[in-house]
Amino acid sequence: MLFEELNVNEHKVLFKNTQNGICSVQCIFNAGSIDETVEGTAHFLEHMLFKGTPRFNKDQFNRITTKYGQINAWTSFDLTCYHYDFISRNLSNAFDIFFDMIFNATLPEEEIEIERGVILEEFEHYKNNPSLYFRERITREFVGKDGHGILGTRNSISSITLKDLQTFVDSYYRNNMIIVVVGNIGKNFLISELEKYLPKTDTKNISIRSNKPNYNRQNLSFHHPSSQACLGIISPGSLIIDSPSIEYAREIFDSGFGGDMHSLLFQEVREKGYCYSVWSNFVDCTNFGFEFINCKIDPENIDKTKEIILSLIQKVKNEGFDSELLELSKNHVLFTIIDSIEKSSNLARIGAEYFKRNGKIEDINEYQQKILNITNDDIIQYANTLFNDEPSIYTMTEGPMED
């Protein structure tokens, strides 16, 4: 098994014993920007958890966490993850301060205004970066409310209060998480240490969302002050598909269509000089998912590049991949996953899939076999499932921003 599932004081813990000297612990909350009342609350809260506990003020916290390793966090549409990497022999000390932060963060009100300024600067960074702005804008346009920017807007960031943060904690952080631990640690020792720091809870169920958005299918053009243009082609899909073979075909499709230098997009668009960068990937969330084809491009090449990409989509729908591309793509997918699990922190992050796949973490050997079993007919079936309607096309060119 990739992970062993443990129950410690009624908390779900995914554990993997490795020979790596670095241990990684991650606390993943099933809560993100799609759960907000005030846009940006989940991300703002992520920042505020690092501002101290009853035992440590923020300066002490920063020094101690650095003493033992490296701590950080991230927020997505549907998850918030706090992660700490440290030398395995320091597990007891690392757990002590990490879980103190997770369960006892004080959210000091005097720090809110300081952090608000930091997040507003982060917001400006995203807004001024054409690639980041483009991705965020088209997600909001295509998905709607659930796809709003994870940072929020300038107005919403400016309005978030301590009450908003505390309400989010009470609503979504209580017994709504899994803990992932990866490293060279004995299971019995791990359980004994976790029992010290995980408060007992009566709640065993983790909420799974079921709402689905009504995608806003449209073609849209908008502006950004940057001279770099962007072209995006989007089609809705689902992370979990009824046919298991199509589900695994998605990963091979992403690799072969726009995943790396072997892909159709790279060979037919990038290598023929139409754009600087082109790729495709599946954007997944428990509430929505879509295939995103993205180009950083000279404005003069938008129409030709769009024509090539739409032609490639139709070709894959009709013919799939040739035998060489299918084999290359399978090996690329397998290399990527095997390479990622060589590092404790990457392996631990796979735990986030627990929520997206309804509590299932797949055995790595079973996963590899399912990838190898994918046929070209599966690729054709997946492409026709994904692009059963005309995709939405977004372009961003130089000009004044609307917001």
Side-chain angles (χ1 to χ4, degrees):
M1 295 294 291
L2 186 57
F3 288 99
E4 181 175 0
E5 187 171 323
L6 309 175
N7 184 312
V8 181
N9 292 341
E10 301 301 341
H11 292 277
K12 291 183 183 293
V13 179
L14 301 180
F15 168 58
K16 176 68 174 178
N17 180 273
T18 69
Q19 298 304 308
N20 295 335
I22 299 298
C23 178
S24 181
V25 58
Q26 302 199 4
C27 184
I28 306 167
F29 289 93
N30 189 33
S33 61
I34 63 175
D35 302 302
E36 298 166 338
T37 301
V38 181
E39 293 184 15
T41 302
H43 175 256
F44 205 125
L45 178 61
E46 173 215 310
H47 279 235
M48 288 299 298
L49 248 69
F50 291 86
K51 300 307 174 183
T53 73
R55 295 170 56 205
F56 308 103
N57 63 36
K58 69 173 183 180
D59 295 329
Q60 293 169 325
F61 179 87
N62 291 339
R63 287 195 297 271
I64 296 171
T65 52
T66 303
K67 176 180 179 181
Y68 297 118
Q70 187 173 53
I71 195 167
N72 213 329
W74 50 264
T75 304
S76 70
F77 293 114
D78 52 351
L79 301 174
T80 307
C81 176
Y82 301 87
H83 51 95
Y84 195 15
D85 298 339
F86 50 87
I87 299 173
S88 296
R89 67 171 179 268
N90 291 328
L91 181 141
S92 296
N93 290 322
F95 273 15
D96 181 28
I97 192 164
F98 180 74
F99 288 114
D100 191 33
M101 175 190 77
I102 294 297
F103 294 108
N104 302 311
T106 52
L107 311 180
E109 195 160 11
E110 65 273 15
E111 294 292 335
I112 291 178
E113 288 308 314
I114 297 173
E115 209 58 30
R116 193 189 312 280
V118 172
I119 295 171
L120 285 170
E121 287 298 320
E122 186 179 0
F123 173 83
E124 289 300 319
H125 165 72
Y126 270 72
K127 183 177 177 181
N128 293 327
N129 182 303
S131 297
L132 295 176
Y133 175 79
F134 181 65
R135 186 183 182 99
E136 181 176 295
R137 172 73 184 270
I138 65 174
T139 302
R140 183 173 75 242
E141 296 285 354
F142 185 69
V143 177
K145 180 181 181 297
D146 281 352
H148 71 254
I150 291 169
L151 271 64
T153 66
R154 185 183 292 104
N155 288 338
S156 68
I157 295 167
S158 299
S159 72
I160 291 172
T161 65
L162 176 60
K163 183 179 179 181
D164 294 324
L165 300 175
Q166 192 60 60
T167 298
F168 196 86
V169 170
D170 294 338
S171 299
Y172 298 106
Y173 270 37
R174 305 303 186 198
N175 311 320
N176 190 32
M177 66 180 183
I178 57 169
I179 296 156
V180 186
V181 184
V182 177
N184 190 9
I185 309 160
K187 181 173 75 171
N188 291 335
F189 175 69
L190 172 65
I191 292 173
S192 68
E193 288 297 307
L194 287 172
E195 286 175 340
K196 298 177 186 177
Y197 302 111
L198 300 184
K200 292 184 178 180
T201 175
D202 295 328
T203 303
K204 298 182 181 180
N205 297 322
I206 295 175
S207 61
I208 301 294
R209 304 176 192 88
S210 59
N211 295 329
K212 302 297 179 185
N214 293 317
Y215 294 109
N216 185 18
R217 293 174 177 269
Q218 62 178 334
N219 296 334
L220 181 68
S221 296
F222 51 91
H223 300 295
H224 187 277
S226 171
S227 60
Q228 180 187 72
C230 291
L231 167 67
I233 298 177
I234 292 182
S235 190
S238 173
L239 179 65
I240 304 297
I241 303 174
D242 292 339
S243 170
S245 62
I246 302 181
E247 182 183 338
Y248 292 93
R250 176 182 64 81
E251 300 188 49
I252 298 171
F253 173 87
D254 272 345
S255 172
F257 194 78
D260 214 322
M261 292 188 294
H262 67 289
S263 69
L264 293 171
L265 289 178
F266 191 88
Q267 294 297 322
E268 298 300 322
V269 179
R270 165 62 171 80
E271 289 297 84
K272 294 187 177 178
Y274 292 110
C275 72
Y276 158 66
S277 173
V278 60
W279 46 263
S280 68
N281 75 302
F282 191 84
V283 178
D284 59 269
C285 171
T286 50
N287 267 37
F288 61 82
F290 57 86
E291 189 71 27
F292 179 32
I293 301 168
N294 188 14
C295 300
K296 300 175 184 177
I297 193 168
D298 187 305
E300 294 182 357
N301 292 332
I302 287 177
D303 289 340
K304 180 61 177 178
T305 302
K306 179 170 62 177
E307 177 185 329
I308 294 171
I309 294 173
L310 293 177
S311 174
L312 288 172
I313 289 172
Q314 191 59 50
K315 182 178 180 180
V316 177
K317 288 173 67 175
N318 294 336
E319 304 172 13
F321 293 166
D322 63 39
S323 58
E324 181 182 16
L325 180 58
L326 183 62
E327 188 67 20
L328 281 171
S329 301
K330 287 182 181 181
N331 286 322
H332 179 254
V333 169
L334 293 177
F335 168 79
T336 301
I337 188 68
I338 293 171
D339 180 61
S340 70
I341 65 177
E342 291 299 313
K343 187 176 180 182
S344 293
S345 57
N346 290 340
L347 183 58
R349 188 162 182 168
I350 294 174
E353 295 300 310
Y354 183 95
F355 291 112
K356 298 181 187 298
R357 297 183 180 273
N358 296 325
K360 180 183 177 184
I361 299 290
E362 193 159 33
D363 178 84
I364 189 64
N365 293 320
E366 292 179 6
Y367 171 85
Q368 291 184 69
Q369 192 57 54
K370 288 175 180 176
I371 291 294
L372 292 172
N373 288 342
I374 293 298
T375 67
N376 194 49
D377 286 342
D378 295 324
I379 299 296
I380 293 172
Q381 187 179 2
Y382 175 73
N384 280 275
T385 300
L386 181 64
F387 296 105
N388 63 330
D389 289 316
E390 290 295 317
S392 298
I393 299 173
Y394 296 84
T395 57
M396 184 180 77
T397 54
E398 185 174 9
M401 297 170 69
E402 293 90 341
D403 55 354

